Amino acid sequence: MIDLACFLCRTLSSQVNKDPKPGIMKLLQNANTFLLVVAGISITGLIYLGYTTTSLRYKEQGHCLKTTKEHQENSKLHLPQGLSYHQPSLVGPDGKVVPLTPWLAPVVWEGTFDPMLIDSIYKQQNITIATTVFALGKYTQFLKDFLESAEQNYFVGFRVHYYVFTDQPEQVPAVKLGAEHNLTVLKVASSNRWQEITLSRMEKLQKLIETRLVNDADYVFSLDVDTKFYGRWGVETLGRLVGVIHPGYYRTSREQYPYERRPESQAFISYGEGDYYYGGAVIGGLVKDVYEVAKTCREKLDIDASKSIEAAWQEESHLNKYFLYNKPSKVLSPEYLWQDFKPHTNEVKIIRFSQVIKNYAAVRPNP
């Protein structure tokens, strides 16, 4: 633009020298006006160009910050194979509970969170928590206590959608649900082996996420139905990937964990490996992360089945293998999975969720 103005100026000056007539003065006045316009446009363009460049730079920086934040929040905690380290403990030498894992995931105990504070934070996020339970055969008898106790303690004041898998929809009790709590019954085929019922849970959970939960929920928990809530279970349990410590092994040497020890199985964990023993009665987290758990475990279960191998504790064995190499971002203490026949201990101040006493021979279709 400036070069054009200079060219016009030189051209007009040469014309004046050649033919200095009175009309030339008018032409020069017009040329001056034109030059002023051109200069104004040039300055405006430079200002706009500078603003646009700055704006783009800030947008780019903002995008980088957003991407970094999302990466930090969503990054998975993968353990490289072959790494040797000491077994972590949930109770210190002084008898006090340990609030963090060695990979800095919170361990949720009574006293480690403020219910009012954390509820007020999550209330602003408008979240939905999907919850699956499997009640097949005689296990339908546990649904009433499960649902009624859940309505008193489980994510009270938040949006919850229960999905009940059962072969007997007519046996699902009519339980009064709280505001924004819903229940959907999903009919599935029955089985003559409780092991097959257990083994199929991961596949059904995977398909439910694919067909519904991917669009309808933010978090999902898969819980055992032969359980009962005795205390608060709230948003303190939410995280990217959540596991619960099995109440029978939280003070046990990992050499005594009931891991799958046969190398032929996809669930194999060798002696000297392992962090905690996680209970299969609770699996939770963001929908996309629980999907990865269900999908991976289902694939490993299928590989074992093709070799006529059944892991020691079915999907619980495969879950422990998954958590060994894909660390949970939050760990729930045994408060969130107890057993009614167990006495209280010094560490467990409150029982929130517990497996009820039952006669396995009477409720299972096979020994």
Side-chain angles (χ1 to χ4, degrees), residues 2-14:
I2 295 174
D3 291 342
L4 175 62
C6 292
F7 170 76
L8 289 172
C9 184
R10 287 196 301 269
T11 303
L12 289 170
S13 298
S14 63

Side-chain angles (χ1 to χ4, degrees), residues 115-179:
M116 184 178 68
L117 175 63
I118 197 168
D119 280 355
S120 64
I121 293 172
Y122 275 89
K123 274 286 188 182
Q124 303 175 70
Q125 298 184 19
N126 194 32
I127 56 175
T128 297
I129 303 102
T131 304
T132 67
V133 289
F134 292 78
L136 280 76
K138 295 181 181 180
Y139 273 73
T140 55
Q141 66 186 277
F142 302 113
L143 271 172
K144 190 172 189 295
D145 280 350
F146 175 89
L147 291 170
E148 288 183 345
S149 64
E151 284 303 290
Q152 296 298 316
N153 300 286
Y154 185 70
F155 290 110
V156 176
F158 290 87
R159 189 182 301 112
V160 173
H161 197 140
Y162 303 102
Y163 293 88
V164 178
F165 291 87
T166 182
D167 56 346
Q168 302 175 69
E170 69 281 0
Q171 295 297 319
V172 177
V175 173
K176 184 178 180 181
L177 302 178

Side-chain angles (χ1 to χ4, degrees), residues 326-338:
N326 302 272
K327 305 298 189 188
S329 63
K330 182 172 287 186
V331 174
L332 305 183
S333 72
E335 295 174 3
Y336 292 86
L337 181 61
W338 200 245

Side-chain angles (χ1 to χ4, degrees), residues 8-36:
L8 289 172
C9 184
R10 287 196 301 269
T11 303
L12 289 170
S13 298
S14 63
Q15 290 296 324
V16 170
N17 293 330
K18 289 180 181 178
D19 189 17
K21 294 182 180 179
I24 296 302
M25 296 302 298
K26 185 175 181 181
L27 180 60
L28 286 173
Q29 290 175 353
N30 291 336
N32 289 335
T33 302
F34 175 75
L35 288 173
L36 287 174

